[in-house]
Amino acid sequence: NRLVWNFKDASTLNVKSRSLTGMIIAPKCKIDQTQNIQGNIFASEITTTGAPEIHFGPNFKFVGSLPGVSSTPSSLVFNGGYLMGS
């Protein structure tokens, strides 16, 4: 819950050989999943094969900190743009 995977320019992501832990930010990405993902996901599409699980929600929310980003309400829009490279 302190790790962010930022795949801002990726078009595909394969989660096949190990479980992936952490928030995934991949706004342009198609994720192909055959293993578990432990965290929230922001992606354009996700496809699962087999019976992998996605564990998300409040128990997996990001609780880390990002350098140079405040947590005030006026910066919340900026936070999303910062993570996606806008």
Side-chain angles (χ1 to χ4, degrees), residues 29-82:
C29 195
K30 177 182 184 251
I31 298 175
D32 293 316
Q33 176 197 14
T34 60
Q35 292 293 324
N36 292 348
I37 295 176
Q38 314 281 14
N40 293 301
I41 302 168
F42 297 94
S44 65
E45 182 179 343
I46 186 163
T47 303
T48 60
T49 303
E53 298 174 353
I54 300 173
H55 300 130
F56 61 94
N59 293 334
F60 294 93
K61 68 181 179 179
F62 179 69
V63 296
S65 62
L66 299 172
V69 177
S70 71
S71 60
T72 60
S74 63
S75 69
L76 292 178
V77 173
F78 175 72
N79 287 348
Y82 175 78

Side-chain angles (χ1 to χ4, degrees), residues 1-8 20-26 38-40 42 60-67 79-80 82-84:
N1 62 357
R2 295 182 186 270
L3 183 61
V4 175
W5 296 95
N6 186 0
F7 298 105
K8 71 179 184 92
L20 192 140
T21 301
M23 178 190 297
I24 300 172
I25 298 175
Q38 314 281 14
N40 293 301
F42 297 94
F60 294 93
K61 68 181 179 179
F62 179 69
V63 296
S65 62
L66 299 172
N79 287 348
Y82 175 78
L83 292 172
M84 291 189 236

